[in-house]
C-alpha cells in the first residue's frame, strides 16, 4: 500500500518532484566538482613537491644558513695553460657543491636513530660548470704609408715598422648541468624516486663507487646521450646505464651518480648536502622535526608542508579558490537547496490538507501519514542525488578533458632547503640558498573518488530527510475536521 500510494503521488506531482530534485542536484553536483578539483589541486601540489625531493620523503635536513658575509665560496675561477698550438681546444670544468653548505655524512646515521624516523639517506647536490673553446692569435698588419721612414738619425719611428694587430681573441662555450650523488644502497628515498627508469636500468646496490650514471631523459635528449654512452665530469668518464624520466616533467638533477663518486669529484669526502627523511608516522612529522632540530644543532629541517608554503602562481591561487570560495559556495548552495526542498515539501503538504484529512478520517494514523510524506521526500532526494552525481561527474570529466595548465612557482628556500636543487645553472646561487626559484607547468585533473560519491549519496538522503521533516511535521498536525471543512 505504501509503495503503491508513493508511486501514484510522485506521478501526479511530477513537476513539484522535479523542482525539488533539481535543487538538490545542483548543490550535490557543485560539491562533487569542488571536491574533485580540490583533490586535483592537492595532487598537482604533490607532483611539484615530489619533483624536488622524491616520493616518500617527509622532510629534509640541511646545514643551517651561514650568517650574511661570513664564510662562503667566491665566484668559480677558471685557468687555462698557454699552448703553442693556437688551434688546440682548451677545456676545464669546476664542480661546486650547490649552496656551498655541507654536512658530515655521520649526520645521516644520527638522524636515522631519532624517534619517529623510519629511514634516512644522504645525498650530495652538485653543479658542474664546463668551459671549453679556443684562443686565436691576432695578425700584425703594417701600415702601407708608414714604411720605415727616417732611417738612423732622422725621421720618426726610429726605423720601426708602423702597423696594428688585427683579428685574434677567444671563443668559449659555457655549459652547466646539475649532478646528484645518490646512495645506491638505499634508492627508495631522494630525488631519483620521483623519476621512472625508461631506458636501461637503475643503479645496482654493489655500484657504490662505480663510474656509472643515470641521466635525466630531457637532458639526454638535449645532449643526444643514450645508454652505454659516456658523460664526463671533472675528467672522470661515467658510463650511462639508465635514462630516467621525471614523473612531473621536471627532474631534480641532470645526471645521477653514486654518492661516493660525487664526493670524490667534488672533493667533499664524507660530506652530504641533504639528508632525506621518512617519518614512521605521517601524523607525527612536526614532532619528529622538533626532535631533530633539538638534538642536532646547526641544521635546518624542512618538511613538505614548509615547502608547500613557498608554492605560488596560478596553482596556488586556484587551490585557494577551491578550498575557500569553492567550499563556502558549495555549502551555501547546498544549504539553500535543503531549505527550498523543505519549504516546497511543506507547501505541498498544505495543499493536500483535504487529502490527508480524508485519509485520517478513513483510519490512517498521524505516523502513517508522516511516513508517507517522508518517503516521498526521500525519493525526491535520491532522484536529486542521482541527477547531481551525473552532473558532477560530467563536470569533473570536463575539467580533466580540458586539463587547464596551472603554473607552480616554487620560491627559493633559505637555509639550504635542499629539496632537490635542480633549479638554475648555479643551483642555489650562494651560501644558505640551495633551492633556486623554479617554475613548473602542471596539467590540472579532477579525479572523483569513491568517498566523494558516498558523500553525494549521503547528501541526497540528508536532503530528502530534511524536506521530509518539514512536510512530515506539517502533516502530523492535520486533523480530519480540516478535510471536512474543505469539503463543505
Amino acid at each position: 500500500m505504501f509503495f503503491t500510494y508513493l508511486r501514484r503521488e510522485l506521478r501526479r506531482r511530477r513537476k513539484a518532484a522535479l523542482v525539488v530534485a533539481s535543487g538538490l542536484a545542483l548543490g550535490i553536483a557543485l560539491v562533487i566538482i569542488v571536491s574533485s578539483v580540490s583533490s586535483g589541486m592537492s595532487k598537482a601540489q604533490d607532483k611539484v613537491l615530489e619533483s624536488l625531493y622524491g616520493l616518500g620523503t617527509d622532510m629534509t635536513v640541511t646545514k643551517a644558513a651561514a650568517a650574511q658575509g661570513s664564510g662562503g665560496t667566491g665566484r668559480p675561477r677558471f685557468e687555462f695553460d698557454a699552448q703553442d698550438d693556437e688551434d688546440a681546444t682548451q677545456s676545464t670544468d669546476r664542480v661546486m657543491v650547490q649552496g656551498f653548505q655541507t654536512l658530515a655524512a655521520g649526520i645521516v646515521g644520527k638522524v636515522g636513530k631519532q624517534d619517529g624516523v623510519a629511514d634516512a639517506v644522504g645525498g650530495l647536490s652538485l653543479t658542474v660548470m664546463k668551459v671549453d673553446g679556443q684562443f686565436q692569435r691576432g695578425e700584425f698588419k703594417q701600415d702601407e704609408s708608414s714604411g720605415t721612414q727616417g732611417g738612423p738619425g732622422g725621421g720618426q719611428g726610429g726605423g720601426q715598422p708602423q702597423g696594428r694587430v688585427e683579428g685574434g681573441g677567444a671563443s668559449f662555450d659555457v655549459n652547466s648541468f646539475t649532478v646528484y650523488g645518490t646512495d645506491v644502497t638505499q634508492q627508495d628515498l631522494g630525488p631519483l624516486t620521483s623519476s621512472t627508469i625508461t631506458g636501461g636500468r637503475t643503479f645496482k646496490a654493489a655500484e657504490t663507487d662505480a663510474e656509472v650514471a643515470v641521466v635525466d631523459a630531457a637532458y639526454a635528449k638535449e645532449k643526444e646521450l643514450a645508454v652505454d654512452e659516456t658523460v664526463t665530469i671533472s675528467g672522470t668518464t661515467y658510463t650511462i646505464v639508465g635514462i630516467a624520466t621525471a614523473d612531473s616533467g621536471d627532474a631534480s638533477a641532470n645526471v645521477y651518480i653514486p654518492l661516493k663518486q660525487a664526493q670524490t669529484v667534488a672533493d667533499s669526502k664524507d660530506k652530504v648536502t641533504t639528508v632525506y627523511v621518512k617519518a614512521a608516522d605521517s601524523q607525527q612529522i612536526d614532532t619528529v622535526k622538533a626532535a631533530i632540530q633539538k638534538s642536532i644543532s646547526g641544521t635546518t629541517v624542512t618538511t613538505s608542508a614548509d615547502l608547500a608554503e613557498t608554492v605560488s602562481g596560478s596553482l596556488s591561487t586556484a587551490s585557494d579558490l577551491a578550498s575557500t570560495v569553492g567550499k563556502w559556495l558549495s555549502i551555501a548552495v547546498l544549504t539553500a537547496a535543503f531549505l527550498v526542498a523543505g519549504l516546497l515539501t511543506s507547501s505541498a503538504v498544505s495543499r493536500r490538507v483535504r487529502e490527508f484529512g480524508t485519509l485520517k478520517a478513513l483510519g490512517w494514523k498521524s505516523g502513517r501519514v508522516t511516513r508517507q510524506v517522508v518517503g516521498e521526500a526521500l525519493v525526491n532526494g535520491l532522484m536529486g542525488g542521482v541527477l547531481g552525481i551525473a552532473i558532477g561527474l560530467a563536470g569533473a570529466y570536463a575539467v580533466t578533458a580540458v586539463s587547464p595548465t596551472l603554473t607552480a612557482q616554487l620560491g627559493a628556500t633559505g637555509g639550504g632547503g635542499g629539496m632537490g636543487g635542480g633549479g638554475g645553472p648555479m643551483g642555489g646561487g650562494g651560501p644558505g640558498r640551495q633551492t633556486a626559484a623554479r617554475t613548473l607547468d602542471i596539467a590540472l585533473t579532477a579525479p572523483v573518488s569513491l568517498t566523494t560519491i558516498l558523500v553525494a549519496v549521503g547528501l541526497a538522503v540528508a536532503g530528502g530527510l530534511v524536506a521530509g521533516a518539514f512536510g512530515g511535521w506539517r502533516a502530523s498536525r492535520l486533523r480530519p475536521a480540516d478535510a471536512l471543512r474543505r469539503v463543505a
Side-chain angles (χ1 to χ4, degrees):
M1 181 65 180
F2 173 81
F3 291 104
T4 301
Y5 190 81
L6 177 65
R7 185 174 63 256
R8 289 177 179 176
E9 288 302 314
L10 290 175
R11 283 182 179 178
R12 193 157 59 96
R13 295 178 173 82
R14 286 193 295 267
K15 291 184 179 180
L18 183 60
V19 171
V20 173
S22 299
L24 292 174
L26 178 61
I28 292 170
L30 191 58
V31 169
I32 292 176
I33 294 173
V34 171
S35 297
S36 60
V37 170
S38 296
S39 178
M41 299 290 181
S42 179
K43 287 189 175 183
Q45 287 186 331
D46 288 343
K47 281 187 176 181
V48 173
L49 301 183
E50 286 172 11
S51 71
L52 300 173
Y53 57 73
L55 188 65
T57 304
D58 294 314
M59 65 190 78
T60 59
V61 180
T62 52
K63 188 173 182 179
Q68 286 285 345
S70 63
T73 304
R75 295 176 181 272
R77 182 180 180 85
F78 298 90
E79 297 180 354
F80 298 92
D81 295 330
Q83 297 187 14
D84 293 334
D85 186 358
E86 65 178 42
D87 294 328
T89 298
Q90 299 200 62
S91 177
T92 185
D93 57 14
R94 288 291 180 269
V95 180
M96 298 163 289
V97 174
Q98 287 192 359
F100 308 110
Q101 301 274 354
T102 58
L103 294 167
I107 294 291
V108 178
K110 192 172 182 181
V111 171
K113 294 178 181 178
Q114 299 296 310
D115 292 338
V117 174
D119 200 3
V121 63
L124 187 64
S125 296
L126 307 174
T127 295
V128 179
M129 294 195 70
K130 188 178 183 65
V131 179
D132 55 2
Q134 294 177 332
F135 288 104
Q136 293 182 346
R137 292 174 179 170
E139 296 182 359
F140 180 80
K141 297 288 186 179
Q142 181 176 342
D143 291 340
E144 296 180 358
S145 59
S146 62
T148 55
Q149 297 177 5
Q156 296 180 351
Q160 298 297 322
Q162 302 295 313
R164 61 187 181 278
V165 177
E166 293 183 352
S171 176
F172 284 84
D173 292 327
V174 179
N175 176 38
S176 66
F177 57 95
T178 54
V179 177
Y180 176 73
T182 181
D183 189 339
V184 298
T185 63
Q186 293 178 280
Q187 298 186 50
D188 55 346
L189 279 178
L192 186 54
T193 60
S194 65
S195 298
T196 302
I197 300 298
T198 53
R201 61 173 177 84
T202 188
F203 297 108
K204 296 179 180 178
E207 295 175 329
T208 55
D209 200 17
E211 294 176 354
V212 292
V214 172
V215 180
D216 173 61
Y219 184 74
K221 182 178 180 181
E222 177 187 349
K223 300 300 180 181
E224 298 182 350
L225 299 173
V227 175
D228 294 331
E229 293 185 355
T230 60
V231 60
T232 302
I233 302 174
S234 189
T236 302
T237 301
Y238 293 88
T239 301
I240 299 173
V241 296
I243 303 296
T245 301
D247 296 335
S248 66
D250 195 357
S252 298
N254 300 131
V255 180
Y256 301 87
I257 61 176
L259 178 58
K260 284 188 178 180
Q261 282 291 319
Q263 292 169 337
T264 299
V265 297
D267 194 21
S268 298
K269 184 178 180 180
D270 296 329
K271 297 290 185 180
V272 296
T273 52
T274 312
V275 181
Y276 298 89
V277 182
K278 183 177 181 179
D281 185 356
S282 60
Q283 302 300 319
Q284 301 297 321
I285 291 178
D286 291 337
T287 303
V288 176
K289 174 183 177 180
I292 294 174
Q293 288 179 322
K294 183 178 180 180
S295 60
I296 305 176
S297 60
T299 60
T300 297
V301 182
T302 306
T303 67
S304 56
D306 297 330
L307 193 61
E309 293 178 357
T310 69
V311 177
S312 59
S314 60
L315 174 60
S316 177
T317 302
S319 181
D320 291 340
L321 288 174
S323 61
T324 54
V325 178
K327 288 184 179 179
W328 282 111
L329 180 61
S330 298
I331 292 173
V333 172
L334 199 59
T335 302
F338 281 11
L339 290 176
V340 169
L343 292 175
L344 288 176
T345 304
S346 179
S347 176
V349 169
S350 67
R351 292 195 298 271
R352 298 166 66 183
V353 171
R354 180 184 300 178
E355 176 187 339
F356 290 135
T358 302
L359 291 174
K360 283 190 173 185
L362 293 175
W364 281 38
K365 294 183 179 181
S366 295
R368 186 175 180 182
V369 174
T370 300
R371 287 194 297 273
Q372 194 70 43
V373 174
V374 172
E376 293 176 13
L378 191 57
V379 171
N380 287 336
L382 292 175
M383 289 192 301
V386 172
L387 184 60
I389 291 173
I391 297 174
L393 291 176
Y397 175 79
V399 173
T400 303
V402 174
S403 295
T405 300
L406 299 179
T407 299
Q409 183 174 0
L410 182 71
T413 55
M419 301 294 229
M426 291 295 293
R433 182 182 171 189
Q434 286 187 330
T435 304
R438 58 195 301 192
T439 300
L440 301 177
D441 291 331
I442 304 294
L444 176 64
T445 59
V448 181
S449 64
L450 179 61
T451 302
T452 302
I453 299 297
L454 294 178
V455 169
V457 173
L459 291 174
V461 173
L465 292 177
V466 169
F470 274 90
W473 173 80
R474 187 68 179 271
S476 66
R477 295 171 60 87
L478 295 176
R479 296 177 297 173
D482 295 328
L484 296 176
R485 289 196 200 97
R486 296 292 180 94
V487 173

